[in-house]
């Protein structure tokens, strides 16, 4: 059964005859349209339509895999087309204001559904994995490049800009997110934005970055040493690396996200570091940088072939140091394909 038919069946089960898809990643997934913030997809009984505005006439015709309608505002077109047919909307994305306005235009309150398209996006098609593989290659190339650039005396923000520049020159649509560059005591902040701080010898620096290719994101973290670091910091690095390697080895179809997170947490606990592992082990990646499945104690998602996830244990000791190592990998029938290829042994620059 096609994705459209499967979705339509779920919509009917929910009591509706039409489905408005408005979350940008879902719009892109169902239509291929690369400006999904300015479009919606509508599933009607016999048609699937991308509605966008006149600015995108040529682009939508070229990119869309479904019928294109140019209409602004789309609410009016939809109300005129539906003629009272019951609509379902994506509750996780639509604002209350849009919902109320739409209810008035339609003359009924749309049925609210959740996670329908996201459920299909969990398992990637080969073409999607190919985009993710390419995004990971560009990320690896930027890492190789940045090793030539990083030296004591350089600012974090210079590293961040150079990573972005290199990825764009390699063909990335954009960065997956503003690259995280956190050096010295700032490395204890898991999401430290690159600042004007100057790197010094004897410190660790954490880089977390990725590239977007055809809408698909990569995500990788490496922690580097500038010159010689303390024995204590080396031991922290080794603990995180061992944990990360063991967690990746445990990724197989049928494993549960919570189990893998527990394994990593237990491994760090043996070294007295569990309290410093302040986030979950990993997340799914695709048209969004964070999507399902979740590898966390709070959820119990099952891993299946075709899923693309990160494994990213970290320890963060406030005021002192942080270490995180993150790879992007695809779950396969046999186990895993690690898409991130960059060196993981401690690199001393
Ligand atoms: Zn990351
Ligand atoms: Zn991540």
């Amino acid at each position: 059964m096609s994705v459209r038919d499967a979705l339509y069946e779920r919509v009917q089960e929910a009591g509706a005859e039409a489905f408005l898809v408005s979350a940008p990643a879902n719009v892109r997934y169902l239509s291929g349209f690369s400006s999904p913030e300015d479009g919606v997809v509508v599933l009607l009984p016999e048609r699937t339509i991308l509605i966008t505005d006149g600015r995108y006439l040529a682009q939508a015709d070229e990119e869309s895999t479904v019928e294109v309608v140019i209409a602004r505002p789309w609410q009016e077109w939809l109300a005129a087309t539906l003629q009272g047919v019951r609509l379902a909307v994506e509750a996780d994305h639509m604002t209350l204001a849009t919902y109320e306005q739409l209810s008035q235009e339609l003359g009924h309150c749309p049925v609210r559904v959740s996670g329908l398209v996201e459920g299909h996006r969990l398992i990637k098609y080969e073409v999607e994995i190919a985009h993710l593989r390419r995004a990971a290659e560009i990320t690896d190339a930027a890492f190789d490049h940045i090793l030539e650039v990083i030296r004591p005396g350089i600012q974090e923000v210079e590293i961040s800009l150079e990573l972005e520049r290199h990825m764009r020159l390699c063909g990335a649509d954009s960065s997956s997110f503003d690259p995280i560059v956190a050096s010295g005591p700032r490395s204890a902040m898991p999401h430290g934005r690159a600042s004007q701080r100057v790197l010094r010898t004897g410190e660790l620096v954490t880089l977390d970055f990725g590239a977007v290719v055809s809408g698909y994101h990569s995500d990788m973290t490496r922690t580097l040493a500038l010159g010689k670091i303390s024995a204590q910091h080396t031991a922290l690095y080794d603990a995180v690396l061992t944990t990360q390697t063991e967690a990746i080895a445990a990724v197989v179809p049928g494993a549960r996200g919570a189990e893998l997170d527990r394994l990593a947490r237990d491994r760090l606990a043996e070294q007295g570091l569990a309290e410093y592992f302040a986030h979950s082990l990993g997340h799914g990646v695709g048209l969004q940088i964070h999507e399902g499945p979740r590898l966390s104690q709070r959820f119990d998602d099952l891993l299946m072939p075709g899923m693309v996830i990160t494994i990213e244990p970290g320890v963060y000791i406030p005021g002192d140091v942080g270490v995180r190592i993150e790879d992007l990998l695809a779950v396969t029938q046999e186990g895993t394909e690690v898409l991130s290829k960059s060196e993981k042994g401690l690199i001393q620059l």
Side-chain angles (χ1 to χ4, degrees), residues 209-342:
F209 62 104
V212 179
V213 170
S214 300
Y216 288 82
H217 299 68
S218 67
D219 190 6
M220 181 176 85
T221 306
R222 290 293 183 266
T223 301
L224 302 166
L226 283 135
K228 202 171 155 42
I229 56 167
S230 69
Q232 188 212 356
H233 289 176
T234 307
L236 278 181
Y237 189 92
D238 290 343
V240 174
L241 179 57
T242 308
T243 302
Q244 203 251 4
T245 311
E246 287 187 23
I248 289 178
V251 173
V252 285
R256 294 200 170 264
E259 258 172 46
L260 294 166
D261 181 277
R262 172 53 56 201
L263 180 147
R265 231 159 270 284
D266 288 350
R267 195 51 85 241
L268 290 171
E270 287 164 16
Q271 320 259 350
L273 296 170
E275 66 176 297
Y276 302 115
F277 178 22
H279 53 72
S280 54
L281 180 66
H283 53 88
V285 188
L287 286 169
Q288 287 174 289
I289 183 69
H290 293 122
E291 56 182 53
R294 288 154 296 199
L295 284 72
S296 136
Q297 287 303 298
R298 290 191 298 128
F299 302 95
D300 202 20
D301 294 346
L302 187 68
L303 297 190
M304 291 188 264
M307 288 180 168
V308 174
I309 59 170
T310 68
I311 296 286
E312 51 178 305
V315 292
Y316 312 93
I317 302 178
D320 180 17
V321 75
V323 174
R324 178 169 68 257
I325 303 170
E326 173 182 30
D327 282 331
L328 187 67
L329 43 113
V331 182
T332 64
Q333 295 288 353
E334 298 76 34
T336 55
E337 175 190 349
V338 180
L339 304 180
S340 308
K341 310 280 188 205
S342 293

Side-chain angles (χ1 to χ4, degrees), residues 24-66:
N26 293 342
V27 170
R28 186 161 190 167
Y29 184 73
L30 294 178
S31 68
F33 182 48
S34 70
S35 300
E37 298 78 11
D38 291 318
V40 293
V41 165
V42 185
L43 271 58
L44 296 167
E46 305 293 335
R47 305 158 73 188
T48 305
I49 292 161
L50 168 71
I51 312 177
T52 183
D53 63 72
R55 292 173 296 169
Y56 297 104
L57 181 62
Q59 185 190 327
D61 269 344
E62 187 182 311
E63 294 176 347
S64 181
T65 53
V66 300

